Amino acid sequence: MDHQSRRTVRTTCPYCGVGCGVLATPTDAGVAIEGDPDHPANFGRLCSKGSALGETLSLDTRLLHPEIGGIRAGWDEALDTVAGRFRETIERHGPDSVAFYVSGQLLTEDYYVANKLMKGFIGSANIDTNSRLCMSSTVAGHKRAFGEDLVPGCYEDLELADLVVLVGSNTAWCHPVLFQRILAARRADPKRRIVCIDPRRTATAESADLHLPIRPGSDVLLFNGLLHYLRHNDRLDFEFIERHTEGYAAALGMAQETAPTLPAVAAGCGLAESEVAQFYRLFAATERTVTLWSQGVNQSTSGTDKVNAIVNAHLATGRIGKPGAGPFSLTGQPNAMGGREVGGLANQLAAHLDLDDPGHRRQVQEFWRSPRIADRPGYLAVDLFRAIGEGKIRAVWIMATNPAVSLPDANAVRRALSACPFVVVSDCERDTDLARFAHVQLPALAWGEKDGTVTNSERRISRQRAFLGAPGEARPDWWIIAEVARRMGFGAAFGYRDPAEIFAEHVELSGIAGAEKRRFDLSGLQTAYDDLAPTQWPVNAGHPQGTPRLAFDGGSGKLKFVAVRPRLPVNAPDAEYPLILNTGRIRDQWHTMTRTGKTPRLTGHMPEPYAELHPGDGERLELADGALARLDSRYGTALARVRFSAGQRPGTVFVPMHWSEGNSRQGLANALVNPAVDPVSGEPEFKHTPARITPYRPAWHGFAIARRRLEFPDAAYRVVIPCRNCWRHELAGEAVPEDWREWAQNQAGTATDMERDWLEFADPRAGRYRCAWIAGDRIEFALFVSPCHELPPRDWLAGLFGQDILSDAARASLLAGRPLSAEDDQGRIVCACFSVGEKALRRAIAAEDLATTEQVGTRLKAGTNCGSCLPEISSLLAETRR
């Protein structure tokens, strides 16, 4: 590993929008990672993913050199090819025939240069970002309510609030550092309350004082009912409403019309009247209330209306911009907000200026001194790839994201990419699902190598700093974009020498926006770029140290109520597809797993794609817990492992979105998801696709563990899982090999002279087969096959690969299919931070009569780092001590 130095570097985590500070220290063994105790987002705490960052920095799967048609090329040839093809396409078909698709994984400086090139010099607004998939409903809701994309509060408010309402957010898993701050505040003052509004009983709901398992898609009805309740019970702040808002009468009228009574709201939301009444009473009585929301609100065909229904309740009570009070959007990606600041969405201009405002367009064009400026919105993400499939876009450049996995109706996206005349991919990884469609691949720097800024959920700008050298020929994204711009004839405007120059230009433009009464303003930043400390905007003459909360004093225009009518999701379940499919994240994985999938520490908790549904639905559909099932929608199919959960709302099924063809076969969740979008924001409805689930009954089930990753092309179902000293492969097949030994040896690639080292047990009548290849004293490969899904535990077997000398007893245990002792099998990982398994936890709880999570933490350390496993440990305590 190429180290820049041995000093500790302050940087920022590359995962979610919490924006945790990280201390990275290169060592002889790699990079040591710690939370930054001085960063105000996390004060030293990291989640399981952040804690494992040092284990994800390997170069074995990296894209390290430019490639044209899959063949290594030099930078000049690759850049000339990209610039030439884009220039030729524009000359033949016009500027709207090309597009960029970018990412919340980019740094602000990268985003700024890409947006400048497309909107100001190419002259099209066909640049959209994967933030469209997670945050655009919030952006649209903010703009309707505040006139600008603003988060009014800060993280401190989560600790000052007496009531925290979490809507459509499994914060315990997806933003665990913030959730632990909320729980710590409640421990400090037990009168504080947490309400979780979510169809699923998640880890977040387990820790809440009140859980409302709302009918999917009924959030607007619930919050319209809240507004009506607040007015009926005289809990409104009429002074605030009159001085600072407009539109109240229309919003209240709509609430009274659509949510006339509490029983009507409860029936429409699928809740008990007592649950709704308890929530309404809590909200009405608690001045310091923060409402947090995430993808369960945003990823909906009525996502923007959901945001405004929540904001309406805060405007009506004046609970906004005050300590411990306000509506608060939890951002999905590390720089989703930074991308929005520079106009990374297809319907934005840089610096929060409006694309549809001629005066704003003129200001930006004059500032950039650009030959043209986009004058209408470009294609939003889903429509952008539809336009590629229709031949309207003939050249696309995709940066730092994988739409072949992450977009809805993923099979249609792949068909579009395969038909596109010219696809450029800038990425860190070489062999992704997207790479097969690339005509040119450009190697970009990854986290730890690149340098720039990101903005978190509370408007806090932090530095990502490099602590590793550039591997191979990888380059910063901003440099790659600027070099293409130079080759397209725009060199004078893209002569940046480093990211500091780009950031300075961004800051200067923000001052123009601030002069237009925009809150986004960095013009007061005086600190040198390299020394920039985490700072919340606006930063200007009036707030030179930044602004934790945005005061609404009427100086920036009236805040707006928005009258919103409840609407059902676009696609309703029916007799053919009777279930509602909901997709989302799991605790220890991130997006398409290109980074988190590298470390065994993060794959142990939930190693396979799964379909979680209520036990009653499972029994009715003749599914077995732990067996495989086939999921179908009108858009595609997938295979997944069945998980029963009483916390899953009947009639719904939850499937994680992380797996792709790179690590699974038929595990692509977004192949199932409908492409319907919110008409205001363009955000897809990932949370509500009609689907069906049926048992998948292959001829055989199995798993193999080997010292290297294997392909198993004959397996209909295959998931590849990294372990500490080996690779685990979960398998199922639809045809039984004639000779299992021959089949296994072909898969393992064993030489014929190793026959004497081959151990096996076969029961052809029962359809069972077990084998192991021992080379010297080490196990190299093992395969277990059964006609049913019930197979021996995997973890103890994977542990044998860590032994240099395999004992006779261990060899015997291989063929017996069970560990030598119970202690050898710790079970499925529960605590990823300290690799503590379920069976180890159950044994310790039973043997030592542990009664609390604190006692478990003292004994096994489980739950003492990020805390995201604490709800599961609590459940194990209850079950084991029952």
Side-chain angles (χ1 to χ4, degrees), residues 669-806:
N670 283 330
L672 301 162
V673 174
N674 74 92
V677 300
D678 181 298
V680 180
S681 70
E683 184 155 350
E685 188 146 65
F686 285 102
K687 303 298 186 184
H688 198 287
T689 298
R692 64 170 176 259
I693 183 168
T694 53
Y696 175 65
R697 297 188 175 97
W700 58 272
H701 300 257
F703 71 88
I705 302 182
R707 291 201 177 273
R708 59 189 179 89
R709 177 177 172 143
L710 304 174
E711 291 304 317
F712 296 96
D714 299 332
Y717 174 82
R718 183 212 63 170
V719 180
V720 183
I721 305 155
C723 303
R724 294 209 176 273
N725 298 287
C726 56
W727 292 85
R728 171 177 151 198
H729 308 75
E730 292 292 329
L731 308 166
E734 297 178 357
V736 178
E738 293 183 6
D739 186 327
W740 273 113
R741 177 189 293 185
E742 180 182 359
W743 185 88
Q745 290 184 345
N746 285 338
Q747 308 303 315
T750 61
T752 54
D753 62 355
M754 293 295 177
E755 190 74 22
R756 59 188 173 83
D757 296 311
W758 193 267
L759 308 178
E760 68 179 352
F761 165 84
D763 185 349
R765 293 188 63 182
R768 299 183 184 278
Y769 180 78
R770 296 195 288 270
C771 69
W773 173 33
I774 314 295
D777 292 316
R778 291 203 323 167
I779 182 172
E780 297 289 331
F781 171 83
L783 172 70
F784 286 69
V785 173
S786 169
C788 67
H789 70 278
E790 295 177 347
L791 287 155
R794 281 67 155 166
D795 297 285
W796 70 273
L797 181 54
L800 296 180
F801 281 75
Q803 299 180 12
D804 291 330
I805 299 177
L806 202 65

Side-chain angles (χ1 to χ4, degrees), residues 821-841:
S821 66
E823 285 69 26
D824 292 330
D825 178 20
Q826 76 159 334
R828 178 184 60 85
I829 293 296
V830 172
C831 175
C833 295
F834 297 108
S835 299
V836 183
E838 177 184 350
K839 293 181 180 179
L841 284 164

